[in-house]
Amino acid sequence: MYNRGVMRVVLLGPPGVGKGTQAGRLCARFGLLHISTGDMLRAEVAAGSELGLAAKAKMDAGDLVPDDIIIGMVENKIRALDGGCLFDGFPRTLEQAQALDASAAKPDFVAELDLDDDAIVERMSGRLWHPASGRVYHTRFAPPQTPGKDDATSEPLARRADDEEETVRSRLAVYRKQTLPLSEYYSAAAAVNENAARYFRVSGAMPPDEVAAAIIAGLGKTL
Ligand code: AMP
């Protein structure tokens, strides 16, 4: 059931703005379950499941995976949820946002991170990730302790196929067309309905510690 005492947060923002980095911090700080549809899809692709096979071509092209697949996947997570959670990379369409609002995990807060396209392309060109955990690094802005190796496991880091510049530009175009309307969806709901999620924006151009501090302040919490 909907429970006001539990914090459910949506992190909204373009690909590469730093949602994954902030999600890791916020989940550790507040004991939230990290629900990243991108991580879930990459795990399905790695496992070679039917869902993974269906999603892979869309992901490689930078397109969105169909809503019914995504909503079904998130519903399974929500069913097993007993506490707070943070949605990262979900919702990405109006249909997904409406499904989340109608679910038992209706969000309390929506934090939107902003950054301009050129800065995003620059960031993504140095991005590395650890496939098993989803941990993200950056060759320049957040390097691993040992180049090319995950800090916790020392396993090799990889580049995501969809981080190439051309794919990043098309992901940004998809974001503007299909996901940006969610800013209006959430800000309009917050303006007229006191039971709607609280919506606030934070600049993603600041160093990660400052972005985290601004989000935590927006959640009405302290570091
Ligand atoms: P991300 O790691 O969040 O950037 O997601 C990587 C890719 O997975 C996206 O470019 C989409 O192809 C797909 N994806 C992740 N989350 C969603 C979602 N909520 N709706 C549709 N497609 C998604």
Side-chain angles (χ1 to χ4, degrees), residues 147-170:
K149 299 267 162 60
D150 177 51
D151 288 352
T153 64
S154 297
E155 287 166 356
L157 300 176
R159 274 186 61 71
R160 277 173 49 175
D162 58 353
D163 278 351
E164 300 305 330
E165 174 158 355
E166 201 185 320
T167 314
V168 170
R169 298 265 178 207
S170 53

Side-chain angles (χ1 to χ4, degrees), residues 69-93:
I69 294 185
I70 299 289
I71 291 169
M73 220 170 58
V74 172
E75 274 171 356
N76 282 338
K77 275 270 181 193
I78 290 175
R79 219 166 285 134
L81 187 69
D82 73 342
C85 63
L86 183 144
F87 295 99
D88 160 11
F90 173 88
R92 262 178 156 99
T93 64

Side-chain angles (χ1 to χ4, degrees), residues 2 4 7-13 19 26 85-92 97 100-101 105-113 175 179-190 195-202 214-220:
Y2 188 51
R4 272 263 154 223
M7 188 158 70
R8 285 185 289 263
V9 183
V10 167
L11 264 191
L12 208 60
K19 296 191 299 293
L26 294 165
C85 63
L86 183 144
F87 295 99
D88 160 11
F90 173 88
R92 262 178 156 99
L100 182 61
D101 271 348
K106 184 174 181 292
D108 308 299
F109 294 96
V110 176
E112 177 167 1
L113 300 180
Y175 175 77
T179 309
L180 207 52
L182 297 188
S183 308
E184 176 62 20
Y185 172 80
Y186 284 118
S187 60
N195 291 320
R198 283 202 21 217
Y199 166 85
F200 59 93
R201 297 170 79 141
V202 168
I215 297 174
I216 290 169
L219 299 174

Side-chain angles (χ1 to χ4, degrees), residues 37-38 41-42 59 63-65 70 89 92 96 160 171:
T37 42
L41 290 168
R42 282 183 288 277
M59 294 171 74
D63 290 334
L64 295 188
V65 171
I70 299 289
R92 262 178 156 99
Q96 293 176 20
R160 277 173 49 175
R171 289 169 73 194

